[in-house]
Amino acid sequence: MLEGIRALGEAALKRAPLIEVLVDLRPLEQLGAGEPAYLVVLNINLSERRLRVDFRVLDKRALVEARWVGNAAGSNSPQDRLTTDRPEYLASQTVPNLLEALPKGTLSEKLRTLLEAVYVDLGEKGELFPEGGGDQQYERYRWVWDLRKLGINPTPDFLPGKSDREQAQRICDREGAEFLTQGFLRAYAREKGRAAEAVKLVGKALHGWVAQELDVKSPQLKLYTLALDGERLVRHPDYVQYIERKLVDEAFEGPKAEEGLCHLCGSSGPVTSNTTRFKLLKFYITDKPGFASQLHERGFLRNYALCQQCYRALLSGERFLENELRTQLGRSNVYLIPVCFPHEQELLRPERLEKWAGYLKSRLAASEKLEKWQEFQQELKRYGFYEERKALYVLNFLFATKVKSAVKVDKLIAEVPPSRLDQLDEVRNRVRAWAAEHLGADVHGEWDLGLEKLFYLLPLRQRDSQVEAKPYLELLDALLVGRPLSVQALIPQLLETAAIHRFERYEAHAHDRPHDPERALVLHLLQAQLFLRYLKELGQLHGLDEDEGGERRATTMTETMARQAAKIEQELVDEGLRAWMDGVGLKGAERGLFLLGVLIGKIGSTREQRESGKPILNKLHFQGVDCLKVMRLANEVYEKLRQYKIADYNEGLYGVMKAHLDRGVSKNELGSPQENVYWVLAGYAYETQRAIRTGRLKKSQQAEAGREVQGAGEEAELEAEREEG
């Protein structure tokens, strides 16, 4: 996987310098579909001592031109970026921090002039906080812009919050100082106990003033970059060299660097174990010597060390993954990491990188949703080059969660051939066509088993808006690598999801509350059966329709009894129902349970049951039903058939069901309590869907007949008018 990331980074560095490759495009993902967002240019004219502002719509080109590589990592790190999303950084510590780090040159001279021209000094820490306290890193907040020196007359009205405005006005009145002057800022810092709060206030006021000046809403202002006399400082060569040195060269200084062998490419030379600059590739714990070789900090170099070339390539490849190959699957962030086979260079040509990334994300999206699959089919000609080269690389699916600076790897599904997605989709489409044949046309994609649909088949819990996605990721792992799954392990999960719909326990789970929970229950149970057929066609399902799979199957029926049961079924059960049970893979007692559910569905379709919320379902315990309760339920169902006067129409079906169950009980063929209730519910869902489909068909026929009658009446009226004429 690391080799693949390095290869992506090397290719990206061939088309652009490091600082442009490392540009962070994530702000574009945060943009809504409504109002645009802007990059603000704070242009200071030093000779006139005036601040002029300009802005442009935030897009990829704007981010690249502004060299947006993020703020300095870590909340306690000195901020030194000339493009930032925090205007208070530009108005305070950025310039002083750069002056300490930059070599003498034209950029440092300009920044020195700026510091002397527009900054105000809050004074020594002991002077500002004579009783002690204050900021631990006070010098960082000591210098701040005096907006009056930039031709701005700041007022508390620039502040967004009412409480901020009232507090600012109160201090102005108490101190007799104008807003944001040195006296005001010192009083504000003392009242708040930190100079950093005074700096934040300047940032808020600047943000508000810019919004008024540009006549836009303040939330639309996303990024700020600094310019002097019309020159954007991020383009200055001294700044570019400085950022590259901060991101790469400094990692090869200090105790975490020495001469050695690179663990990635094997070259000898200067190497480092300092990986703190990486955002995604957190190789191991590097701040606790207990995890180092020989329990010493320098032992990290034995754990994993990188040369400068590999370091640059990995930084670049990591950013390319973040910008171009990150997507979502089942509400989890997933990084698609392609690894080309040796000597494959066409896919890694710099001019093809972004198109290849777009193809990979589109291909995964096609396996996720029906609409995306249809869009992908329309784009196949455009993707022809990449479709022809699917055999030249494998995919790694890295599922990771970021919490501030920490990265938690949730799952890595390694070395998946792209053709596996084709195989999954081929079976998915066959199952969908089969479902449409038996359940009705798939108008809304209800029978499509895309990877997103599988997410909602599982009872995934949700806490504090975070989904516990491990069961889903394990399922994806099995599907993508072809690992077999047991029906005995799947059914309890499918049954638990059914209980979510039946008892409407949506708040604690990842499922959104549907408009009709009863319909959602039926759809879930049907999709769950389609999923079992899907796994069966993939050859990954164990424990269903397996004559050789265990002693229970081998001893349930003699061949003679099986032939007799098949003959009775053929005579008394309609062909569509038999075809469905055969397609799902039901045998013996499972067929009996399914037919019991069909009968419950027929009872639930009566007018009395529909009007009272189908109380027949209350006889099913979603935790499970053992053998004795199954037989008791079968007897109760017959009484209900008689009660609702539909026993005469279903005696044959009831007899076949009872025969299957009696044999299953006598031969110990029934499964676990969870399996028993699941197959009953499966039959109920099938019959309910069939009743809905029949009802729709009748309404359609009645409407058509009505139109024919209306047409005949209109024709008769016309004929009568002609005769009168």
Side-chain angles (χ1 to χ4, degrees):
M1 184 182 76
L2 290 180
E3 289 82 357
I5 298 174
R6 180 186 64 177
L8 291 172
E10 289 174 344
L13 286 170
K14 290 178 182 178
R15 68 175 183 177
L18 178 66
I19 194 170
E20 292 186 11
V21 172
L22 296 182
V23 165
D24 187 355
L25 301 183
R26 285 178 297 176
L28 301 180
E29 298 177 3
Q30 302 166 2
L31 303 182
E35 298 171 331
Y38 300 108
L39 165 72
V40 177
V41 180
L42 299 175
N43 183 17
I44 298 177
N45 187 306
L46 289 175
S47 59
E48 297 180 5
R49 299 285 182 91
R50 292 191 65 84
L51 173 62
R52 293 184 172 87
V53 292
D54 193 8
F55 67 107
R56 59 171 297 177
V57 175
L58 198 63
D59 56 18
K60 183 176 180 179
R61 183 176 179 182
L63 289 172
V64 172
E65 290 180 355
R67 309 293 201 264
W68 167 242
V69 294
N71 297 314
S75 58
N76 291 324
S77 300
Q79 298 301 320
D80 55 4
R81 306 298 155 84
L82 290 172
T83 296
T84 178
D85 58 354
R86 304 281 295 275
E88 65 266 26
Y89 290 165
L90 289 180
S92 59
Q93 61 179 294
T94 296
V95 169
N97 288 336
L98 282 173
L99 281 173
E100 289 185 7
L102 285 172
K104 289 185 178 181
T106 56
L107 179 59
S108 64
E109 290 176 3
K110 290 182 178 182
L111 294 180
R112 178 68 62 185
T113 302
L114 175 64
L115 179 67
E116 294 171 353
V118 303
Y119 278 77
V120 60
D121 182 7
L122 297 183
E124 296 291 339
K125 181 178 180 180
E127 181 185 355
L128 184 59
F129 300 104
E131 297 179 0
D135 311 75
Q136 290 184 349
Q137 298 171 322
Y138 171 75
E139 292 298 321
R140 190 178 300 175
Y141 310 107
R142 176 174 176 173
W143 296 89
V144 63
W145 283 2
D146 184 343
L147 297 185
R148 283 176 172 74
K149 293 180 180 180
L150 294 170
I152 301 171
N153 182 27
T155 69
D157 292 337
F158 291 163
L159 300 176
K162 180 180 179 181
S163 60
D164 285 340
R165 292 194 297 269
E166 291 177 347
Q167 184 180 26
Q169 189 61 55
R170 188 175 66 252
I171 293 176
C172 288
D173 296 341
R174 186 186 69 206
E175 300 293 329
E178 294 186 29
F179 183 56
L180 297 188
T181 58
Q182 182 189 50
F184 172 90
L185 291 173
R186 287 167 61 89
Y188 187 88
R190 277 193 293 266
E191 183 166 311
K192 288 289 188 176
R194 296 177 63 219
E197 295 298 324
V199 169
K200 288 180 182 178
L201 191 73
V202 173
K204 289 179 182 180
L206 178 61
H207 188 72
W209 175 81
V210 171
Q212 290 185 25
E213 194 77 2
L214 298 176
D215 193 22
V216 299
K217 296 178 181 178
S218 58
Q220 294 178 261
L221 307 177
K222 299 297 183 181
L223 291 178
Y224 289 81
T225 190
L226 187 61
L228 291 183
D229 298 324
E231 177 192 358
R232 292 196 191 182
L233 299 184
V234 291
R235 299 175 182 173
H236 198 286
D238 290 353
Y239 178 74
V240 173
Q241 293 176 10
Y242 168 77
I243 292 297
E244 292 189 0
R245 180 169 62 84
K246 289 288 289 185
L247 294 177
V248 178
D249 297 348
E250 284 189 2
F252 290 81
E253 302 170 0
K256 292 187 176 181
E258 64 179 26
E259 293 290 319
L261 289 176
C262 175
H263 288 77
L264 189 53
C265 69
S267 64
S268 59
V271 294
T272 184
S273 63
N274 184 348
T275 58
T276 56
R277 288 157 177 78
F278 291 100
K279 308 296 184 184
L280 175 65
L281 300 177
K282 305 290 186 177
F283 296 99
Y284 47 82
I285 297 174
T286 59
D287 59 348
K288 296 180 177 60
F291 290 88
S293 176
Q294 297 181 342
L295 304 180
H296 190 276
E297 187 173 351
R298 297 191 68 83
F300 284 120
L301 287 161
R302 294 178 177 232
N303 291 13
Y304 204 88
L306 294 168
C307 67
Q308 193 163 0
Q309 184 175 355
C310 287
Y311 198 94
R312 289 169 61 91
L314 284 176
L315 269 180
S316 303
E318 178 190 66
R319 176 53 62 196
F320 186 81
L321 284 180
E322 192 74 52
N323 287 341
E324 306 292 346
L325 285 169
R326 177 171 54 88
T327 184
Q328 275 207 331
L329 191 56
R331 300 194 192 177
S332 295
N333 284 327
V334 57
Y335 298 84
L336 302 177
I337 307 174
V339 180
C340 292
F341 294 145
H343 312 299
E344 170 50 38
Q345 296 299 322
E346 287 300 312
L347 289 170
L348 289 170
R349 289 170 66 98
E351 64 273 17
R352 288 201 175 109
L353 275 185
E354 289 185 10
K355 293 181 180 178
W356 186 27
Y359 162 76
L360 291 175
K361 290 203 293 186
S362 295
R363 182 63 194 88
L364 180 60
S367 294
E368 186 182 4
K369 297 181 181 179
L370 179 60
E371 314 88 78
K372 296 296 183 181
W373 163 259
Q374 294 166 342
E375 291 176 11
F376 184 77
Q377 297 307 304
Q378 296 173 0
E379 297 289 332
L380 272 179
K381 288 185 179 179
R382 188 163 67 92
Y383 290 136
F385 175 85
Y386 305 101
E387 280 282 301
E388 293 171 0
R389 285 163 174 77
K390 288 189 295 188
L392 301 179
Y393 63 92
V394 293
L395 284 172
N396 295 280
F397 295 79
L398 178 64
F399 293 87
T401 302
K402 286 188 175 182
V403 181
K404 295 183 179 179
S405 61
V407 176
K408 176 188 175 185
V409 175
D410 300 312
K411 189 72 178 177
L412 173 63
I413 306 176
E415 299 183 354
V416 177
S419 58
R420 180 60 180 175
L421 293 175
D422 296 336
Q423 184 181 2
L424 293 177
D425 286 337
E426 180 184 350
V427 174
R428 158 195 177 192
N429 289 327
R430 286 206 306 266
V431 171
R432 179 170 176 253
W434 180 78
E437 177 185 349
H438 290 274
L439 301 174
D442 189 18
V443 180
H444 304 293
E446 293 170 338
W447 316 137
D448 178 66
L449 293 181
L451 298 180
E452 182 186 53
K453 191 68 63 62
L454 302 184
F455 177 84
Y456 294 101
L457 289 181
L458 301 175
L460 304 176
R461 296 189 176 275
Q462 181 172 272
R463 295 179 181 175
D464 300 326
S465 301
Q466 296 293 321
V467 177
E468 297 177 2
K470 183 177 180 180
Y472 177 67
L473 300 183
E474 293 294 338
L475 175 61
L476 286 179
D477 185 27
L479 289 174
L480 292 172
V481 304
R483 178 163 47 82
L485 294 165
S486 166
V487 69
Q488 287 77 23
L490 284 172
I491 281 181
Q493 297 187 69
L494 300 174
L495 184 60
E496 187 177 345
T497 305
I500 293 172
H501 293 296
R502 173 60 179 166
F503 303 109
E504 302 185 26
R505 299 169 180 162
Y506 299 109
E507 286 73 15
H509 295 84
H511 301 73
D512 297 326
R513 179 175 290 276
H515 176 70
D516 185 354
E518 182 182 342
R519 178 62 179 159
L521 169 63
V522 171
L523 288 177
H524 163 72
L525 291 167
L526 292 171
Q527 291 163 359
Q529 293 173 76
L530 295 176
F531 178 53
L532 296 179
R533 179 179 173 89
Y534 171 76
L535 292 175
K536 180 184 170 187
E537 288 205 27
L538 286 170
Q540 290 182 237
L541 186 64
H542 285 182
L544 189 65
D545 192 17
E546 292 181 340
D547 291 331
E548 74 283 0
E551 184 179 352
R552 192 184 75 178
R553 289 290 184 199
T555 61
T556 53
M557 285 189 183
T558 64
E559 292 184 5
T560 303
M561 295 172 69
R563 282 195 298 268
Q564 289 175 347
K567 184 177 180 181
I568 296 172
E569 254 193 23
Q570 192 166 7
E571 293 175 356
L572 300 177
V573 179
D574 66 78
E575 182 180 355
L577 179 51
R578 285 187 282 112
W580 180 268
M581 291 190 293
D582 291 340
V584 176
L586 304 184
K587 285 193 172 183
E590 288 162 354
R591 293 176 90 88
L593 292 165
F594 190 90
L595 293 175
L596 178 58
V598 170
L599 290 169
I600 291 175
K602 290 181 178 295
I603 295 170
S605 296
T606 60
R607 182 173 58 84
E608 296 88 345
Q609 283 278 324
R610 293 199 310 271
E611 292 177 352
S612 55
K614 296 189 177 182
I616 186 67
L617 288 179
N618 295 332
K619 294 186 176 296
L620 288 173
H621 299 285
F622 278 67
Q623 292 82 4
V625 178
D626 61 23
C627 175
L628 292 177
K629 290 180 180 178
V630 167
M631 301 310 294
R632 188 184 309 140
L633 179 62
N635 294 332
E636 291 176 356
V637 163
Y638 186 73
E639 292 300 322
K640 289 295 181 181
L641 291 172
R642 292 180 59 189
Q643 177 184 339
Y644 293 108
K645 297 181 175 56
I646 56 175
D648 292 344
Y649 309 109
N650 296 290
E651 283 187 345
L653 187 62
Y654 184 86
V656 175
M657 177 274 296
K658 200 68 166 65
H660 277 306
L661 286 184
D662 288 343
R663 280 191 295 272
V665 171
S666 65
K667 300 295 183 180
N668 194 28
E669 188 179 286
L670 268 68
S672 68
Q674 289 82 9
E675 291 176 75
N676 293 340
V677 73
Y678 172 78
W679 290 120
V680 174
L681 287 168
Y684 160 79
Y686 174 82
E687 177 57 31
T688 302
Q689 174 64 22
R690 188 159 64 166
I692 293 172
R693 185 184 181 190
T694 303
R696 288 174 179 170
L697 183 60
K698 285 182 178 179
K699 286 183 180 179
S700 177
Q701 291 172 344
Q702 290 171 357
E704 182 64 30
R707 285 191 292 269
E708 291 177 0
V709 170
Q710 183 180 0
E714 292 173 353
E715 186 176 348
E717 289 178 5
L718 290 172
E719 182 64 28
E721 290 176 1
R722 284 194 293 268
E723 290 178 358
E724 290 177 2

